[in-house]
């Protein structure tokens, strides 16, 4: 029996190997490790070898941070206008809508996590570098106001190069707009957990991303006010190894914890349950 | 007298001014009365200033806002405030000379004044870091605003910075956190906050002092999400396209009033604030005094709510 199977096995596996299409393989951009695409996928696009966190979509973060089927998008109907008549902007943003999707640079909605209702915003870096202009500011502000109405905690996943130039000073003012609403959330005693992903810089880091009651960051994420290129230009020398990474921020006291993507949901749920004085998830189950 | 620095487009003004000065000197030396000769020249000078400064392009306004002779925070402290007592340090790390602040009186009324400070010469600029604050500058500013709140006094911020400093130490000590915190805390302050952009309003580094009940802007000041040079370099890979970027960014006081980002424009004397700093300071003092007066009767909760509502409305979106 045993030898019989052994006889057949090589033939089966060789047929299987033939059936693996070439695009089933994936290679880590960081360490060049080659593995099955499915393995990257199961690890939420984190390299199984070196732990490098690839960029993932806003939709994917909504899947990760809410119970299956619970996420409901809201304010998805807000669209950019071209308030300054900035040359080339209308075409640029139209292309981003076409290529990336209608959520603009942030996806907003509500759902549950281990049964706890929460409001979630996840930024979409693919949409013009996750840049913040009127739509991002308005969606974050409305979501925070909705959290207030529903007395639900707020979670924001940031990924942004900063304020969007093409809406000029109106983009800058989104930092103030989101801040006044988050101040109201704080007054109402509702928790806000901020999750920083690669990269979180400029106007987003200098507003809501660093205003969280608790601030978590994904491993290796670059987080700072000025981008590395600008700093390099200013000081005229190379930046130290690991400068502005999540681990660097942790060491300098700017974030509470560096949390791998696979643990984000667990960490968020555990924290929210304690802050909201709910029993732990295991007990609740 | 050494020739004061002037901008390219100010050349005709500087030229005429020099002639008038020369004539006066001659007259004094020889004890002649030349007022009759000078009067038409003075009139011409006024017309010239009016003509040139009435038609500035956005990039020329940026140049005026950055003018090496433009009055800075300390000049306004001297000219429109009395009894200034500087308070230093953030109580956490160090004192940042790029932001100065302290108690002073405005028309007799005790206020907290906080502002970015540029240097007039290289030595002073090294000390002031060209008016580019580190996190400790913003933390000092917040400390002072909170002190004013505790004692029921208005805070006045004077904004004049190319931007928050993008350096190693600034990043290590949390530049983004310092700005983010100021925004969150300024939204919560229960006393009057008045901001005035007196020169350059450089992005987040300016806004960190700008979340105020009333935001005033001097006529030739600019306020922008990015410098025209930076914008041109990123969008068109060519910093020399700054004229085009300055136009597109809509960064003048007139633009910002139209966009409802600021509440009021403070007029500058003909030829810009540097042409007559005393008059510029009087106009700013009047505007600040009036702004405080108009808010004084509001209960703290209402003040805070109106401030929040004002910023909540900013931006423009469509509903599909």
């Amino acid at each position: 029996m045993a030898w019989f199977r052994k006889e057949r096995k090589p033939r089966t596996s060789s047929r299987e190997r033939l059936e693996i299409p070439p695009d089933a393989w994936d290679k880590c951009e960081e360490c060049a490790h080659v593995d099955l695409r499915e393995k990257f996928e199961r690890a939420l696009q984190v390299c199984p070898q070196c732990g490098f966190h690839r960029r993932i979509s806003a939709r994917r973060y909504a899947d990760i941070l809410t119970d299956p089927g619970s996420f409901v998008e809201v304010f998805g109907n807000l669209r950019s206008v071209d308030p300054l008549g900035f040359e080339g902007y209308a075409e640029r943003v139209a292309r981003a809508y076409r290529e990336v999707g209608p959520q603009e640079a942030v996806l907003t909605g509500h759902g549950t996590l281990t049964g706890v209702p929460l409001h979630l915003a996840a930024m979409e870096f693919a949409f013009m570098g996750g840049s913040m202009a009127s739509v991002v500011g308005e969606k974050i502000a409305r979501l925070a106001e909705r959290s207030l109405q529903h007395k639900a905690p707020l979670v924001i996943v940031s990924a942004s190069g900063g304020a969007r130039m093409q809406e000029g000073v109106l983009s800058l003012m989104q930092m103030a707009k989101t801040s006044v609403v988050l101040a109201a959330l704080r007054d109402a005693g509702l928790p806000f957990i901020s999750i920083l992903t690669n990269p979180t810089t400029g106007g987003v880091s200098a507003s809501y991303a660093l205003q969280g009651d608790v601030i978590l960051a994904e491993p290796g994420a670059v987080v700072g006010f000025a981008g590395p290129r600008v700093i390099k230009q200013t000081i005229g020398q190379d930046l130290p190894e690991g400068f502005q990474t999540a681990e660097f921020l942790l060491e300098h006291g700017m974030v509470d914890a560096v949390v791998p993507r696979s643990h984000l949901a667990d960490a968020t749920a555990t924290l929210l349950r304690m802050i909201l004085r709910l029993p732990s998830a295991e007990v609740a189950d | 007298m050494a020739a004061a620095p002037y901008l390219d487009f100010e050349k005709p003004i500087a030229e005429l001014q020099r002639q008038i000065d020369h004539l006066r000197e001659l007259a004094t030396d020889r004890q002649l009365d030349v007022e009759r000769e000078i009067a038409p020249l003075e009139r011409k000078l006024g017309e010239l200033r009016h003509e040139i400064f009435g038609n500035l392009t956005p990039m020329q306004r940026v140049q005026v806002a950055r003018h090496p002779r433009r009055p800075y925070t300390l000049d306004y402290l001297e000219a429109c405030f009395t009894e200034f007592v500087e308070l230093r340090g953030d109580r956490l790390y160090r004192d940042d000379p790029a932001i100065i602040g302290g108690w002073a009186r405005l028309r007799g009324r005790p206020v907290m004044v906080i502002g970015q400070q540029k240097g007039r010469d290289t030595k002073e600029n090294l000390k002031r870091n060209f008016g580019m604050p580190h996190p400790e500058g913003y933390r000092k500013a917040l400390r002072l605003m909170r002190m004013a709140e505790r004692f029921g006094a208005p805070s006045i911020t004077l904004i004049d910075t190319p931007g928050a400093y993008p350096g190693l130490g600034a990043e290590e000590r949390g530049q983004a956190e310092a700005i983010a915190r100021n925004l969150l805390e300024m939204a919560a302050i229960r006393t009057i906050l008045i901001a005035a952009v007196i020169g350059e309003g450089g992005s987040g580094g300016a806004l960190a002092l700008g979340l105020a009940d009333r935001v005033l802007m001097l006529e030739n000041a600019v306020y922008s999400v990015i410098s025209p040079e930076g914008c041109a370099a990123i969008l068109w890979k060519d910093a020399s396209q700054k004229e085009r970027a300055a136009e597109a960014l809509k960064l003048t006081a007139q633009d910002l009033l139209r966009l409802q980002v600021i509440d009021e424009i403070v007029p500058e004397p003909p030829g810009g604030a540097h042409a007559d700093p005393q008059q510029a300071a009087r106009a700013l003092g009047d505007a600040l005094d009036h702004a405080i007066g108009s808010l004084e009767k509001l209960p703290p909760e209402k003040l805070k709510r109106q401030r929040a509502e004002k910023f909540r409305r900013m931006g423009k979106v469509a509903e599909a």
Side-chain angles (χ1 to χ4, degrees), chain A residues 196-216:
Chain A
L196 314 179
T197 72
N198 189 40
T200 300
T201 59
V204 168
S205 67
S207 60
Y208 54 84
L210 286 171
Q211 289 169 348
D213 293 301
V214 177
I215 304 174
L216 309 177

Side-chain angles (χ1 to χ4, degrees), chain B residues 82-140:
Chain B
T82 55
E83 294 180 49
F84 176 54
V85 180
E86 188 177 1
L87 304 176
R88 298 177 58 174
D90 65 349
R91 300 295 187 271
L92 297 162
Y93 181 72
R94 65 153 197 160
D95 181 53
D96 183 356
I99 290 186
I100 54 180
W103 287 102
R105 285 179 191 272
L106 175 69
R107 316 271 154 97
R109 184 199 328 256
V111 293
M112 187 67 80
V113 191
I114 299 152
Q116 283 121 346
Q117 179 66 36
K118 295 178 176 178
R120 286 273 166 227
D121 51 37
T122 310
K123 193 175 154 220
E124 206 194 343
N125 260 322
L126 286 177
K127 175 178 164 194
R128 304 285 182 194
N129 201 30
F130 299 85
M132 293 185 283
H134 280 73
E136 42 275 20
Y138 294 114
R139 289 173 184 141
K140 168 169 71 177

Side-chain angles (χ1 to χ4, degrees), chain B residues 218-266:
Chain B
L218 292 198
E219 193 180 341
N220 294 310
V222 293
Y223 196 178
S224 179
V225 68
I226 188 168
S227 71
E229 292 86 349
C231 175
I234 295 171
L235 277 189
W236 304 304
K237 317 277 174 234
D238 181 4
S240 70
Q241 299 274 355
K242 58 190 178 189
E243 292 273 354
R244 191 174 156 201
E247 188 82 42
L249 283 166
K250 302 281 182 287
L251 42 63
T252 68
Q254 294 70 24
D255 292 326
L256 268 74
L257 189 66
R258 210 165 26 243
L259 292 167
Q260 295 176 302
V261 166
I262 61 162
D263 301 288
E264 187 185 335
I265 297 176
V266 181

Side-chain angles (χ1 to χ4, degrees), chain A residues 80-101 104 126-128 164 166-167, chain B residues 235-236 244 248:
Chain A
S80 308
V81 294
D82 179 12
L84 309 185
F86 197 103
E87 64 168 287
Y89 181 46
E91 298 77 38
R92 179 76 187 81
V93 81
R95 199 177 80 216
Y97 271 121
R98 225 171 26 245
E99 290 172 0
V100 186
E104 236 260 5
F127 197 104
M128 296 187 73
R164 189 178 302 162
Q166 292 93 332
E167 291 189 27
Chain B
L235 277 189
W236 304 304
R244 191 174 156 201

Side-chain angles (χ1 to χ4, degrees), chain A residues 216-227:
Chain A
L216 309 177
E218 281 193 347
V222 169
V223 180
F225 177 62

Side-chain angles (χ1 to χ4, degrees), chain A residues 247-263:
Chain A
E247 294 74 14
F248 175 89
L249 264 81
L250 181 70
E251 196 181 315
H252 286 83
M254 295 299 153
V255 300
D256 291 293
V258 175
V259 181
R261 193 172 288 159
S262 55
H263 288 60

